Amino acid sequence: MFNQLFGNYLVNEEIISDNKLRELLEKASKQRVKLGTIAVAEGYLSQEEADEVNHLQKKKDKRFGDIAVEQGYLEEEQVEYLLSQQSNPFMQFIQLLFEDDLLAPNELEWSLNDFQEQNGFTDDEMDALKQDDLDAIVNLFALAYKPYVTDLVGLLLRNLIRFVTDDFYIGHIERVDEVSSNAMVMQRIFGDNTIYLGVLASDTEDGFISFAEIFAKEKFKKINSLVFDSINEFVNMTMGLFATNLSYEKIRMDMEPPCAYTNQVVQGKAYILPMYVQGMRIDIYVAVDSDLIFAKEPLDLNIEKRMGNKADSYSRGNIVIVDDSAFARKVIRGLLEDEGYTIVSEATNGEEGIEAYKKYRPDVITMDITMPVMNGVEAVKQIFQFDKDAKVIMVTAAGQEKKVIEALQMGVKNFIVKPFKNEDIVHAVKECFDE
């Protein structure tokens, strides 16, 4: 995260271009940092001393650290510290700046001090950023007096790194009483507490589109239903995992499907965390036990379902996919079609799923739980009333343990928790056919 922030500072100071920054960020993680670079960056050695050690290293065929100790420039403990920093992202970035003559070693300290002053970072914040310590960063930048806010932000950032990109940075969290946005995805979990998580485009839609493109691995020219759907799935995945974490503390929560809005105004006590993903801003919205007032009703996304296919003699079996997320249906469908199965129908809610099952009588039906119109558990109940031998696999966000147990007691064959591994879906379907 430090590299993105410091790199943005260098772009603003016209030391490097934005294109150059993107190039450096892509290259930084692929190289091993020289001990001399770290020693100079940390102020242990001058550039002249590092150059001398490098020269002696070539003559004596010894390690940099050993020679630096022999010459009296470093202590053994200092060498151990420098070795521990060789995979540090900040050091990887600094080495590229030095190697490309974009920033001289004697300019680094001044630049870092100016960067810190411009951003108002404390020494602790600078240390956390340079060490890429996400736990410390979240506690320093996203600390809130309301319970769960900081923990939820931390989980979202970990999901961002795992499923979207590590090219991002955050600002300081702010408390708000009202927020307006050009585009918004919001989800509520409720029970012992009521918690909202949102992704907002407050000033421009570019960041919102960019986020959806990175997550969905598709290009979008403008905000449309598929953009909303992609971000819906990311928020739903995060909230499901968070609800599961709360369940370990005996805190009961249930989930509603995420909702999408345009030109929305929300009133109520909440927190906003600015986040810049690949340089584009979106805002993270979190509210806990607040009475929120929405100025407009949610959008009906009306995402067309892909048509089903007819099975041929080479098909390994017929499958119906039921999920309100087009993104999730696309992923599951792609995995199963690659394995030779035929997707005979898609459905976006429980009612459609029941109709598709009765019409196509598939070998297997995959079923989400949290959906509009009718949830997956009620749909499964009615499918079993129609066909007690139906083979159902629940594929749903975490945080639905109680409903998953209810579905298993009815006779569901298996359940897969989002975010899932690809092989989990394939294995669960294969097990149904191996019975």
Side-chain angles (χ1 to χ4, degrees):
M1 196 178 302
F2 184 85
N3 296 346
Q4 286 80 2
L5 279 164
F6 187 56
N8 194 54
Y9 159 83
L10 296 175
V11 170
N12 291 337
E13 294 295 313
E14 299 182 351
I15 295 172
I16 61 175
S17 68
D18 188 63
N19 286 338
K20 186 64 177 179
L21 172 59
R22 303 263 79 78
E23 176 190 327
L24 293 175
L25 291 173
E26 186 176 346
K27 291 169 62 177
S29 62
K30 301 175 183 177
Q31 65 165 9
R32 184 174 178 82
V33 188
K34 299 173 185 175
L35 237 56
T37 300
I38 305 172
V40 172
E42 292 283 18
Y44 289 167
L45 299 179
S46 68
Q47 185 62 52
E48 290 74 21
E49 290 169 336
D51 289 342
E52 180 187 345
V53 175
N54 281 323
H55 177 70
L56 290 171
Q57 186 181 10
K58 292 176 182 176
K59 291 178 63 176
K60 297 185 176 184
D61 193 27
K62 289 187 176 180
R63 295 182 301 179
F64 183 97
D66 293 338
I67 295 173
V69 171
E70 287 177 2
Q71 297 299 116
Y73 291 144
L74 295 174
E75 302 290 334
E76 292 283 358
E77 295 79 6
Q78 292 174 318
V79 173
E80 288 299 316
Y81 170 75
L82 297 178
L83 287 169
S84 73
Q85 297 299 301
Q86 284 193 303
S87 59
N88 181 283
F90 164 61
M91 292 301 173
Q92 293 168 329
F93 186 67
I94 294 301
Q95 178 163 285
L96 286 174
L97 290 172
F98 288 173
E99 289 178 349
D100 290 2
D101 294 324
L102 299 169
L103 192 69
N106 59 5
E107 297 173 329
L108 178 61
E109 184 177 0
W110 182 91
S111 297
L112 288 173
N113 288 337
D114 186 53
F115 163 75
Q116 181 176 0
E117 184 178 337
Q118 282 194 26
N119 286 279
F121 292 147
T122 65
D123 289 342
D124 286 343
E125 288 171 340
M126 285 288 286
D127 288 342
L129 287 166
K130 286 197 284 187
Q131 292 301 319
D132 204 28
D133 185 344
L134 186 59
D135 288 335
I137 289 168
V138 170
N139 286 329
L140 289 166
F141 284 77
L143 190 62
Y145 81 92
K146 278 278 193 180
Y148 309 128
V149 173
T150 305
D151 291 341
L152 181 51
V153 169
L155 177 61
L156 183 143
L157 296 183
R158 288 181 179 84
N159 279 347
L160 189 71
I161 293 168
R162 182 180 174 191
F163 300 110
V164 186
T165 179
D166 61 0
D167 184 359
F168 73 92
Y169 61 92
I170 59 175
H172 285 93
I173 200 164
E174 297 178 4
R175 185 180 171 281
V176 297
D177 293 314
E178 180 179 292
V179 67
S180 60
S181 68
N182 299 332
M184 174 191 296
V185 164
M186 191 84 76
Q187 185 168 23
R188 182 176 83 116
I189 58 176
F190 60 95
D192 291 342
N193 296 94
T194 300
I195 303 174
Y196 290 86
L197 174 65
V199 175
L200 286 62
S202 297
D203 300 319
T204 173
E205 298 176 355
D206 294 343
F208 203 79
I209 296 170
S210 177
F211 184 94
E213 287 182 340
I214 301 165
F215 181 61
K217 298 178 176 58
E218 289 189 26
K219 292 296 291 181
F220 302 111
K221 293 182 180 179
K222 61 181 182 179
I223 289 187
N224 57 28
S225 294
L226 292 175
V227 170
F228 279 118
D229 180 75
S230 299
I231 298 179
N232 279 357
E233 188 66 6
F234 178 79
V235 171
N236 186 47
M237 186 170 59
T238 301
M239 285 293 258
L241 290 171
F242 191 67
T244 296
N245 291 345
L246 292 180
S247 72
Y248 298 146
E249 302 173 23
K250 308 300 182 185
I251 298 169
R252 297 177 298 105
M253 303 297 283
D254 204 346
M255 299 176 65
E256 293 179 345
C259 296
Y261 306 88
T262 56
N263 303 317
Q264 179 65 280
V265 177
V266 183
Q267 294 178 328
K269 299 183 187 305
Y271 291 89
I272 288 285
L273 180 81
M275 183 165 70
Y276 299 82
V277 180
Q278 296 191 355
M280 308 289 282
R281 175 169 175 163
I282 58 174
D283 289 327
I284 305 305
Y285 180 100
V286 183
V288 177
D289 295 334
S290 295
D291 294 324
L292 300 186
I293 301 173
F294 292 79
K296 298 176 66 175
E297 292 296 314
L299 300 173
D300 184 353
L301 296 182
N302 287 323
I303 300 175
E304 280 191 27
K305 304 183 294 289
R306 288 175 59 188
M307 296 291 292
N309 294 322
K310 290 185 177 181
D312 55 32
S313 57
Y314 299 101
S315 175
R316 296 180 65 180
N318 299 338
I319 297 174
V320 168
I321 298 172
V322 187
D323 200 303
D324 60 327
S325 167
F327 175 82
R329 295 196 304 272
K330 178 182 176 182
V331 171
I332 295 169
R333 182 169 187 155
L335 290 171
L336 296 179
E337 286 184 337
D338 286 348
E339 292 294 319
Y341 298 102
T342 300
I343 309 305
V344 292
S345 182
E346 294 185 6
T348 64
N349 60 60
E351 283 189 358
E352 289 184 359
I354 295 167
E355 292 173 6
Y357 188 88
K358 290 180 177 179
K359 179 176 180 180
Y360 295 100
R361 297 297 296 269
D363 299 303
V364 175
I365 182 168
T366 72
M367 183 73 68
D368 189 16
I369 288 179
T370 306
M371 296 182 290
V373 184
M374 179 187 288
N375 69 48
V377 174
E378 179 58 34
V380 168
K381 187 183 300 182
Q382 294 191 34
I383 287 172
F384 279 132
Q385 289 172 354
F386 174 75
D387 178 7
K388 63 181 178 60
D389 296 320
K391 293 181 178 180
V392 183
I393 299 172
M394 308 303 290
V395 184
T396 190
Q400 300 287 300
E401 285 77 7
K402 185 177 179 181
K403 290 180 178 176
V404 166
I405 291 170
E406 184 181 352
L408 288 170
Q409 289 172 340
M410 286 190 286
V412 164
K413 296 297 182 184
N414 208 334
F415 73 94
I416 309 296
V417 176
K418 301 177 186 177
F420 52 74
K421 296 179 181 178
N422 293 351
E423 56 267 28
D424 292 343
I425 295 286
V426 174
H427 180 70
V429 171
K430 185 175 183 297
E431 277 192 334
C432 290
F433 284 92
D434 288 344
E435 288 186 345

PDB file of all heavy atoms in Angstrom, residues 205-233:
ATOM      1  N   GLU A 205     -17.873   8.038 -11.587  1.00  0.00           N
ATOM      2  CA  GLU A 205     -18.217   6.620 -11.758  1.00  0.00           C
ATOM      3  C   GLU A 205     -17.028   5.792 -12.218  1.00  0.00           C
ATOM      4  O   GLU A 205     -17.108   4.562 -12.257  1.00  0.00           O
ATOM      5  CB  GLU A 205     -19.361   6.491 -12.764  1.00  0.00           C
ATOM      6  CG  GLU A 205     -20.640   7.182 -12.318  1.00  0.00           C
ATOM      7  CD  GLU A 205     -21.737   7.125 -13.368  1.00  0.00           C
ATOM      8  OE1 GLU A 205     -21.450   6.623 -14.468  1.00  0.00           O
ATOM      9  OE2 GLU A 205     -22.857   7.560 -13.098  1.00  0.00           O
ATOM     10  N   ASP A 206     -15.906   6.453 -12.546  1.00  0.00           N
ATOM     11  CA  ASP A 206     -14.770   5.729 -13.126  1.00  0.00           C
ATOM     12  C   ASP A 206     -14.237   4.648 -12.196  1.00  0.00           C
ATOM     13  O   ASP A 206     -13.933   3.532 -12.628  1.00  0.00           O
ATOM     14  CB  ASP A 206     -13.640   6.716 -13.476  1.00  0.00           C
ATOM     15  CG  ASP A 206     -14.035   7.679 -14.581  1.00  0.00           C
ATOM     16  OD1 ASP A 206     -15.021   7.392 -15.282  1.00  0.00           O
ATOM     17  OD2 ASP A 206     -13.366   8.710 -14.746  1.00  0.00           O
ATOM     18  N   GLY A 207     -14.093   4.974 -10.908  1.00  0.00           N
ATOM     19  CA  GLY A 207     -13.566   4.001  -9.959  1.00  0.00           C
ATOM     20  C   GLY A 207     -14.492   2.811  -9.787  1.00  0.00           C
ATOM     21  O   GLY A 207     -14.051   1.673  -9.642  1.00  0.00           O
ATOM     22  N   PHE A 208     -15.794   3.067  -9.804  1.00  0.00           N
ATOM     23  CA  PHE A 208     -16.798   2.018  -9.664  1.00  0.00           C
ATOM     24  C   PHE A 208     -16.689   1.035 -10.830  1.00  0.00           C
ATOM     25  O   PHE A 208     -16.683  -0.185 -10.640  1.00  0.00           O
ATOM     26  CB  PHE A 208     -18.177   2.676  -9.643  1.00  0.00           C
ATOM     27  CG  PHE A 208     -19.258   1.871  -8.986  1.00  0.00           C
ATOM     28  CD1 PHE A 208     -19.372   1.823  -7.603  1.00  0.00           C
ATOM     29  CD2 PHE A 208     -20.195   1.193  -9.740  1.00  0.00           C
ATOM     30  CE1 PHE A 208     -20.387   1.097  -6.984  1.00  0.00           C
ATOM     31  CE2 PHE A 208     -21.222   0.471  -9.141  1.00  0.00           C
ATOM     32  CZ  PHE A 208     -21.314   0.430  -7.751  1.00  0.00           C
ATOM     33  N   ILE A 209     -16.583   1.574 -12.040  1.00  0.00           N
ATOM     34  CA  ILE A 209     -16.455   0.731 -13.233  1.00  0.00           C
ATOM     35  C   ILE A 209     -15.144  -0.043 -13.199  1.00  0.00           C
ATOM     36  O   ILE A 209     -15.099  -1.242 -13.484  1.00  0.00           O
ATOM     37  CB  ILE A 209     -16.533   1.587 -14.515  1.00  0.00           C
ATOM     38  CG1 ILE A 209     -17.922   2.238 -14.632  1.00  0.00           C
ATOM     39  CG2 ILE A 209     -16.236   0.758 -15.756  1.00  0.00           C
ATOM     40  CD1 ILE A 209     -18.028   3.273 -15.729  1.00  0.00           C
ATOM     41  N   SER A 210     -14.062   0.656 -12.829  1.00  0.00           N
ATOM     42  CA  SER A 210     -12.748   0.022 -12.783  1.00  0.00           C
ATOM     43  C   SER A 210     -12.728  -1.143 -11.797  1.00  0.00           C
ATOM     44  O   SER A 210     -12.189  -2.217 -12.089  1.00  0.00           O
ATOM     45  CB  SER A 210     -11.683   1.051 -12.387  1.00  0.00           C
ATOM     46  OG  SER A 210     -10.413   0.451 -12.275  1.00  0.00           O
ATOM     47  N   PHE A 211     -13.335  -0.958 -10.623  1.00  0.00           N
ATOM     48  CA  PHE A 211     -13.383  -2.018  -9.622  1.00  0.00           C
ATOM     49  C   PHE A 211     -14.109  -3.239 -10.187  1.00  0.00           C
ATOM     50  O   PHE A 211     -13.641  -4.378 -10.059  1.00  0.00           O
ATOM     51  CB  PHE A 211     -14.100  -1.518  -8.367  1.00  0.00           C
ATOM     52  CG  PHE A 211     -14.112  -2.508  -7.238  1.00  0.00           C
ATOM     53  CD1 PHE A 211     -13.137  -2.472  -6.265  1.00  0.00           C
ATOM     54  CD2 PHE A 211     -15.091  -3.490  -7.152  1.00  0.00           C
ATOM     55  CE1 PHE A 211     -13.130  -3.392  -5.222  1.00  0.00           C
ATOM     56  CE2 PHE A 211     -15.093  -4.408  -6.128  1.00  0.00           C
ATOM     57  CZ  PHE A 211     -14.107  -4.362  -5.152  1.00  0.00           C
ATOM     58  N   ALA A 212     -15.258  -3.018 -10.820  1.00  0.00           N
ATOM     59  CA  ALA A 212     -16.025  -4.128 -11.386  1.00  0.00           C
ATOM     60  C   ALA A 212     -15.232  -4.842 -12.479  1.00  0.00           C
ATOM     61  O   ALA A 212     -15.259  -6.075 -12.574  1.00  0.00           O
ATOM     62  CB  ALA A 212     -17.348  -3.619 -11.951  1.00  0.00           C
ATOM     63  N   GLU A 213     -14.508  -4.082 -13.295  1.00  0.00           N
ATOM     64  CA  GLU A 213     -13.724  -4.688 -14.377  1.00  0.00           C
ATOM     65  C   GLU A 213     -12.631  -5.601 -13.821  1.00  0.00           C
ATOM     66  O   GLU A 213     -12.407  -6.703 -14.329  1.00  0.00           O
ATOM     67  CB  GLU A 213     -13.082  -3.590 -15.231  1.00  0.00           C
ATOM     68  CG  GLU A 213     -14.059  -2.859 -16.126  1.00  0.00           C
ATOM     69  CD  GLU A 213     -13.383  -1.822 -16.993  1.00  0.00           C
ATOM     70  OE1 GLU A 213     -12.256  -1.389 -16.649  1.00  0.00           O
ATOM     71  OE2 GLU A 213     -13.967  -1.440 -18.012  1.00  0.00           O
ATOM     72  N   ILE A 214     -11.960  -5.145 -12.774  1.00  0.00           N
ATOM     73  CA  ILE A 214     -10.863  -5.937 -12.210  1.00  0.00           C
ATOM     74  C   ILE A 214     -11.407  -7.224 -11.596  1.00  0.00           C
ATOM     75  O   ILE A 214     -10.861  -8.306 -11.783  1.00  0.00           O
ATOM     76  CB  ILE A 214     -10.092  -5.120 -11.158  1.00  0.00           C
ATOM     77  CG1 ILE A 214      -9.520  -3.850 -11.786  1.00  0.00           C
ATOM     78  CG2 ILE A 214      -8.953  -5.945 -10.575  1.00  0.00           C
ATOM     79  CD1 ILE A 214      -9.064  -2.833 -10.772  1.00  0.00           C
ATOM     80  N   PHE A 215     -12.515  -7.097 -10.864  1.00  0.00           N
ATOM     81  CA  PHE A 215     -13.083  -8.270 -10.191  1.00  0.00           C
ATOM     82  C   PHE A 215     -13.691  -9.257 -11.190  1.00  0.00           C
ATOM     83  O   PHE A 215     -13.475 -10.468 -11.101  1.00  0.00           O
ATOM     84  CB  PHE A 215     -14.137  -7.818  -9.185  1.00  0.00           C
ATOM     85  CG  PHE A 215     -14.772  -8.942  -8.415  1.00  0.00           C
ATOM     86  CD1 PHE A 215     -14.019  -9.763  -7.603  1.00  0.00           C
ATOM     87  CD2 PHE A 215     -16.137  -9.192  -8.507  1.00  0.00           C
ATOM     88  CE1 PHE A 215     -14.597 -10.805  -6.893  1.00  0.00           C
ATOM     89  CE2 PHE A 215     -16.732 -10.232  -7.800  1.00  0.00           C
ATOM     90  CZ  PHE A 215     -15.956 -11.038  -6.993  1.00  0.00           C
ATOM     91  N   ALA A 216     -14.452  -8.722 -12.144  1.00  0.00           N
ATOM     92  CA  ALA A 216     -15.161  -9.586 -13.099  1.00  0.00           C
ATOM     93  C   ALA A 216     -14.313 -10.000 -14.287  1.00  0.00           C
ATOM     94  O   ALA A 216     -14.700 -10.876 -15.054  1.00  0.00           O
ATOM     95  CB  ALA A 216     -16.422  -8.872 -13.602  1.00  0.00           C
ATOM     96  N   LYS A 217     -13.156  -9.343 -14.449  1.00  0.00           N
ATOM     97  CA  LYS A 217     -12.275  -9.619 -15.585  1.00  0.00           C
ATOM     98  C   LYS A 217     -13.002  -9.410 -16.915  1.00  0.00           C
ATOM     99  O   LYS A 217     -12.877 -10.197 -17.852  1.00  0.00           O
ATOM    100  CB  LYS A 217     -11.690 -11.025 -15.491  1.00  0.00           C
ATOM    101  CG  LYS A 217     -10.821 -11.242 -14.254  1.00  0.00           C
ATOM    102  CD  LYS A 217     -10.304 -12.661 -14.157  1.00  0.00           C
ATOM    103  CE  LYS A 217      -9.366 -12.844 -12.980  1.00  0.00           C
ATOM    104  NZ  LYS A 217      -9.973 -12.513 -11.678  1.00  0.00           N
ATOM    105  N   GLU A 218     -13.770  -8.316 -16.960  1.00  0.00           N
ATOM    106  CA  GLU A 218     -14.469  -7.918 -18.175  1.00  0.00           C
ATOM    107  C   GLU A 218     -14.298  -6.414 -18.370  1.00  0.00           C
ATOM    108  O   GLU A 218     -13.988  -5.691 -17.422  1.00  0.00           O
ATOM    109  CB  GLU A 218     -15.963  -8.244 -18.082  1.00  0.00           C
ATOM    110  CG  GLU A 218     -16.290  -9.715 -18.149  1.00  0.00           C
ATOM    111  CD  GLU A 218     -17.790  -9.947 -18.269  1.00  0.00           C
ATOM    112  OE1 GLU A 218     -18.501  -9.048 -18.774  1.00  0.00           O
ATOM    113  OE2 GLU A 218     -18.254 -11.011 -17.859  1.00  0.00           O
ATOM    114  N   LYS A 219     -14.535  -5.952 -19.583  1.00  0.00           N
ATOM    115  CA  LYS A 219     -14.475  -4.515 -19.867  1.00  0.00           C
ATOM    116  C   LYS A 219     -15.888  -3.958 -19.879  1.00  0.00           C
ATOM    117  O   LYS A 219     -16.796  -4.522 -20.477  1.00  0.00           O
ATOM    118  CB  LYS A 219     -13.811  -4.257 -21.224  1.00  0.00           C
ATOM    119  CG  LYS A 219     -12.335  -4.602 -21.255  1.00  0.00           C
ATOM    120  CD  LYS A 219     -11.506  -3.731 -20.318  1.00  0.00           C
ATOM    121  CE  LYS A 219     -11.431  -2.282 -20.790  1.00  0.00           C
ATOM    122  NZ  LYS A 219     -10.610  -1.448 -19.904  1.00  0.00           N
ATOM    123  N   PHE A 220     -16.067  -2.824 -19.192  1.00  0.00           N
ATOM    124  CA  PHE A 220     -17.355  -2.146 -19.151  1.00  0.00           C
ATOM    125  C   PHE A 220     -17.163  -0.694 -19.582  1.00  0.00           C
ATOM    126  O   PHE A 220     -16.332   0.009 -19.021  1.00  0.00           O
ATOM    127  CB  PHE A 220     -17.948  -2.186 -17.741  1.00  0.00           C
ATOM    128  CG  PHE A 220     -18.154  -3.573 -17.189  1.00  0.00           C
ATOM    129  CD1 PHE A 220     -17.384  -4.035 -16.139  1.00  0.00           C
ATOM    130  CD2 PHE A 220     -19.113  -4.413 -17.725  1.00  0.00           C
ATOM    131  CE1 PHE A 220     -17.565  -5.309 -15.619  1.00  0.00           C
ATOM    132  CE2 PHE A 220     -19.302  -5.692 -17.218  1.00  0.00           C
ATOM    133  CZ  PHE A 220     -18.537  -6.141 -16.165  1.00  0.00           C
ATOM    134  N   LYS A 221     -17.933  -0.263 -20.569  1.00  0.00           N
ATOM    135  CA  LYS A 221     -17.817   1.115 -21.045  1.00  0.00           C
ATOM    136  C   LYS A 221     -18.515   2.097 -20.120  1.00  0.00           C
ATOM    137  O   LYS A 221     -18.146   3.266 -20.026  1.00  0.00           O
ATOM    138  CB  LYS A 221     -18.383   1.230 -22.459  1.00  0.00           C
ATOM    139  CG  LYS A 221     -17.576   0.469 -23.507  1.00  0.00           C
ATOM    140  CD  LYS A 221     -18.153   0.662 -24.898  1.00  0.00           C
ATOM    141  CE  LYS A 221     -17.333  -0.094 -25.929  1.00  0.00           C
ATOM    142  NZ  LYS A 221     -17.885   0.055 -27.309  1.00  0.00           N
ATOM    143  N   LYS A 222     -19.561   1.646 -19.456  1.00  0.00           N
ATOM    144  CA  LYS A 222     -20.308   2.511 -18.550  1.00  0.00           C
ATOM    145  C   LYS A 222     -20.959   1.642 -17.487  1.00  0.00           C
ATOM    146  O   LYS A 222     -20.943   0.408 -17.561  1.00  0.00           O
ATOM    147  CB  LYS A 222     -21.373   3.294 -19.311  1.00  0.00           C
ATOM    148  CG  LYS A 222     -22.421   2.413 -19.989  1.00  0.00           C
ATOM    149  CD  LYS A 222     -23.443   3.244 -20.743  1.00  0.00           C
ATOM    150  CE  LYS A 222     -24.501   2.342 -21.377  1.00  0.00           C
ATOM    151  NZ  LYS A 222     -25.536   3.123 -22.103  1.00  0.00           N
ATOM    152  N   ILE A 223     -21.516   2.294 -16.470  1.00  0.00           N
ATOM    153  CA  ILE A 223     -22.189   1.541 -15.420  1.00  0.00           C
ATOM    154  C   ILE A 223     -23.466   0.917 -15.967  1.00  0.00           C
ATOM    155  O   ILE A 223     -24.309   1.604 -16.535  1.00  0.00           O
ATOM    156  CB  ILE A 223     -22.514   2.445 -14.213  1.00  0.00           C
ATOM    157  CG1 ILE A 223     -21.219   2.793 -13.483  1.00  0.00           C
ATOM    158  CG2 ILE A 223     -23.462   1.749 -13.254  1.00  0.00           C
ATOM    159  CD1 ILE A 223     -21.404   3.537 -12.207  1.00  0.00           C
ATOM    160  N   ASN A 224     -23.566  -0.389 -15.811  1.00  0.00           N
ATOM    161  CA  ASN A 224     -24.763  -1.101 -16.239  1.00  0.00           C
ATOM    162  C   ASN A 224     -25.071  -2.196 -15.212  1.00  0.00           C
ATOM    163  O   ASN A 224     -24.435  -2.278 -14.162  1.00  0.00           O
ATOM    164  CB  ASN A 224     -24.577  -1.684 -17.652  1.00  0.00           C
ATOM    165  CG  ASN A 224     -23.359  -2.603 -17.733  1.00  0.00           C
ATOM    166  OD1 ASN A 224     -22.950  -3.218 -16.748  1.00  0.00           O
ATOM    167  ND2 ASN A 224     -22.788  -2.704 -18.925  1.00  0.00           N
ATOM    168  N   SER A 225     -26.034  -3.013 -15.503  1.00  0.00           N
ATOM    169  CA  SER A 225     -26.453  -4.041 -14.554  1.00  0.00           C
ATOM    170  C   SER A 225     -25.324  -5.019 -14.219  1.00  0.00           C
ATOM    171  O   SER A 225     -25.210  -5.481 -13.081  1.00  0.00           O
ATOM    172  CB  SER A 225     -27.659  -4.812 -15.114  1.00  0.00           C
ATOM    173  OG  SER A 225     -28.785  -3.977 -15.218  1.00  0.00           O
ATOM    174  N   LEU A 226     -24.482  -5.332 -15.201  1.00  0.00           N
ATOM    175  CA  LEU A 226     -23.391  -6.273 -14.955  1.00  0.00           C
ATOM    176  C   LEU A 226     -22.321  -5.678 -14.045  1.00  0.00           C
ATOM    177  O   LEU A 226     -21.690  -6.394 -13.264  1.00  0.00           O
ATOM    178  CB  LEU A 226     -22.779  -6.720 -16.284  1.00  0.00           C
ATOM    179  CG  LEU A 226     -23.681  -7.593 -17.154  1.00  0.00           C
ATOM    180  CD1 LEU A 226     -23.025  -7.872 -18.502  1.00  0.00           C
ATOM    181  CD2 LEU A 226     -24.028  -8.900 -16.446  1.00  0.00           C
ATOM    182  N   VAL A 227     -22.117  -4.372 -14.134  1.00  0.00           N
ATOM    183  CA  VAL A 227     -21.192  -3.695 -13.219  1.00  0.00           C
ATOM    184  C   VAL A 227     -21.716  -3.813 -11.791  1.00  0.00           C
ATOM    185  O   VAL A 227     -20.991  -4.199 -10.871  1.00  0.00           O
ATOM    186  CB  VAL A 227     -21.013  -2.216 -13.615  1.00  0.00           C
ATOM    187  CG1 VAL A 227     -20.257  -1.450 -12.528  1.00  0.00           C
ATOM    188  CG2 VAL A 227     -20.287  -2.098 -14.942  1.00  0.00           C
ATOM    189  N   PHE A 228     -22.988  -3.466 -11.606  1.00  0.00           N
ATOM    190  CA  PHE A 228     -23.597  -3.591 -10.281  1.00  0.00           C
ATOM    191  C   PHE A 228     -23.532  -5.031  -9.783  1.00  0.00           C
ATOM    192  O   PHE A 228     -23.218  -5.295  -8.621  1.00  0.00           O
ATOM    193  CB  PHE A 228     -25.054  -3.127 -10.325  1.00  0.00           C
ATOM    194  CG  PHE A 228     -25.223  -1.637 -10.256  1.00  0.00           C
ATOM    195  CD1 PHE A 228     -25.819  -0.948 -11.303  1.00  0.00           C
ATOM    196  CD2 PHE A 228     -24.816  -0.918  -9.145  1.00  0.00           C
ATOM    197  CE1 PHE A 228     -25.998   0.422 -11.244  1.00  0.00           C
ATOM    198  CE2 PHE A 228     -24.994   0.449  -9.074  1.00  0.00           C
ATOM    199  CZ  PHE A 228     -25.578   1.130 -10.126  1.00  0.00           C
ATOM    200  N   ASP A 229     -23.831  -5.969 -10.669  1.00  0.00           N
ATOM    201  CA  ASP A 229     -23.866  -7.377 -10.279  1.00  0.00           C
ATOM    202  C   ASP A 229     -22.503  -7.853  -9.786  1.00  0.00           C
ATOM    203  O   ASP A 229     -22.414  -8.595  -8.799  1.00  0.00           O
ATOM    204  CB  ASP A 229     -24.325  -8.223 -11.461  1.00  0.00           C
ATOM    205  CG  ASP A 229     -24.372  -9.702 -11.126  1.00  0.00           C
ATOM    206  OD1 ASP A 229     -25.304 -10.107 -10.412  1.00  0.00           O
ATOM    207  OD2 ASP A 229     -23.468 -10.434 -11.556  1.00  0.00           O
ATOM    208  N   SER A 230     -21.429  -7.435 -10.462  1.00  0.00           N
ATOM    209  CA  SER A 230     -20.081  -7.849 -10.063  1.00  0.00           C
ATOM    210  C   SER A 230     -19.746  -7.338  -8.669  1.00  0.00           C
ATOM    211  O   SER A 230     -19.226  -8.082  -7.829  1.00  0.00           O
ATOM    212  CB  SER A 230     -19.056  -7.331 -11.079  1.00  0.00           C
ATOM    213  OG  SER A 230     -19.303  -7.852 -12.356  1.00  0.00           O
ATOM    214  N   ILE A 231     -20.057  -6.061  -8.416  1.00  0.00           N
ATOM    215  CA  ILE A 231     -19.750  -5.496  -7.103  1.00  0.00           C
ATOM    216  C   ILE A 231     -20.685  -6.080  -6.050  1.00  0.00           C
ATOM    217  O   ILE A 231     -20.290  -6.306  -4.902  1.00  0.00           O
ATOM    218  CB  ILE A 231     -19.815  -3.962  -7.155  1.00  0.00           C
ATOM    219  CG1 ILE A 231     -18.758  -3.442  -8.137  1.00  0.00           C
ATOM    220  CG2 ILE A 231     -19.592  -3.356  -5.771  1.00  0.00           C
ATOM    221  CD1 ILE A 231     -18.714  -1.946  -8.306  1.00  0.00           C
ATOM    222  N   ASN A 232     -21.939  -6.359  -6.432  1.00  0.00           N
ATOM    223  CA  ASN A 232     -22.854  -7.070  -5.529  1.00  0.00           C
ATOM    224  C   ASN A 232     -22.212  -8.354  -5.000  1.00  0.00           C
ATOM    225  O   ASN A 232     -22.275  -8.659  -3.808  1.00  0.00           O
ATOM    226  CB  ASN A 232     -24.139  -7.463  -6.265  1.00  0.00           C
ATOM    227  CG  ASN A 232     -25.143  -6.340  -6.369  1.00  0.00           C
ATOM    228  OD1 ASN A 232     -24.917  -5.254  -5.844  1.00  0.00           O
ATOM    229  ND2 ASN A 232     -26.238  -6.582  -7.048  1.00  0.00           N
ATOM    230  N   GLU A 233     -21.619  -9.114  -5.912  1.00  0.00           N
ATOM    231  CA  GLU A 233     -21.056 -10.409  -5.524  1.00  0.00           C
ATOM    232  C   GLU A 233     -19.880 -10.236  -4.573  1.00  0.00           C
ATOM    233  O   GLU A 233     -19.725 -10.995  -3.615  1.00  0.00           O
ATOM    234  CB  GLU A 233     -20.633 -11.186  -6.779  1.00  0.00           C
ATOM    235  CG  GLU A 233     -20.211 -12.618  -6.514  1.00  0.00           C
ATOM    236  CD  GLU A 233     -21.343 -13.520  -6.031  1.00  0.00           C
ATOM    237  OE1 GLU A 233     -22.517 -13.075  -6.001  1.00  0.00           O
ATOM    238  OE2 GLU A 233     -21.045 -14.673  -5.664  1.00  0.00           O
TER     239      GLU A 233
END
